[in-house]
Amino acid sequence: MKQISDRLWISPQIETGAIAALKEKGFAGIVNNRPDGEEPGQPAAATNRLEAEAHGLNYTHIPIVPGQISEDQVRDFQKVLNDSDGPVIAHCKTGTRSATLYAIGEVMDGRMSHTEVKELGERLGVDLTGATKWLQSHGYS
């Protein structure tokens, strides 16, 4: 797990058995940015949703196919963060897609400059080149 802000942490795939511990650590919600069936053995979003809700956690599935992020997906991600009653953990295979959604949203809303995206990636140890390319192709450079 890596902390991006006081409201957001990113993580690789969250296994169903680890969800109860997230509630104990103070998380209010989970955002799954991984499409179902991306890899054999990966827990289904529906399975993790049931487990999260059983432990009082909000659960949102915003599946991101690498290289195919839409503005609607970015806005949906931001809405989850803004509406949450506490910290959220977002995950995908490695955490990169979740960090990418965050970075794009921050630039779109003027809380971060496009030049700060690379620095954020370096701080987190994730490659945010995809976020930079998305922002450039959508006029945020």
Side-chain angles (χ1 to χ4, degrees):
M1 277 192 294
K2 297 176 182 179
Q3 187 173 6
I4 291 185
S5 71
D6 60 339
R7 308 246 335 141
L8 178 65
W9 294 68
I10 60 168
S11 165
Q13 176 70 53
I14 295 175
E15 298 299 326
T16 307
I19 291 174
L22 295 174
K23 178 67 175 182
E24 292 172 13
K25 290 180 181 181
F27 287 99
I30 298 171
V31 178
N32 177 356
N33 294 131
R34 195 165 189 205
D36 277 342
E38 193 173 56
E39 197 170 73
Q42 167 190 339
T47 302
N48 276 1
R49 175 185 303 279
L50 288 173
E51 184 71 11
E53 290 174 351
H55 292 284
L57 290 163
N58 293 320
Y59 187 91
T60 306
H61 189 208
I62 306 172
I64 302 295
V65 174
Q68 298 180 20
I69 294 173
S70 72
E71 184 173 339
D72 286 342
Q73 290 170 316
V74 173
R75 294 296 183 201
D76 289 346
F77 188 80
Q78 290 177 304
K79 182 169 177 25
V80 170
L81 295 180
N82 290 334
D83 293 350
S84 178
D85 291 333
V88 172
I89 185 161
H91 74 89
C92 51
K93 184 175 181 176
T94 65
T96 300
R97 283 174 268 185
S98 300
T100 297
L101 286 171
Y102 172 81
I104 291 171
E106 291 298 291
V107 173
M108 287 173 61
D109 289 347
R111 290 183 294 271
M112 180 186 293
S113 74
H114 73 280
T115 57
E116 292 174 294
V117 171
K118 182 179 179 183
E119 295 168 16
L120 174 65
E122 289 171 355
R123 178 174 65 83
L124 296 171
V126 298
D127 182 2
L128 292 180
T129 303
T132 302
K133 288 179 181 178
W134 191 97
L135 290 162
Q136 289 172 342
S137 71
H138 289 80
Y140 291 94
S141 55

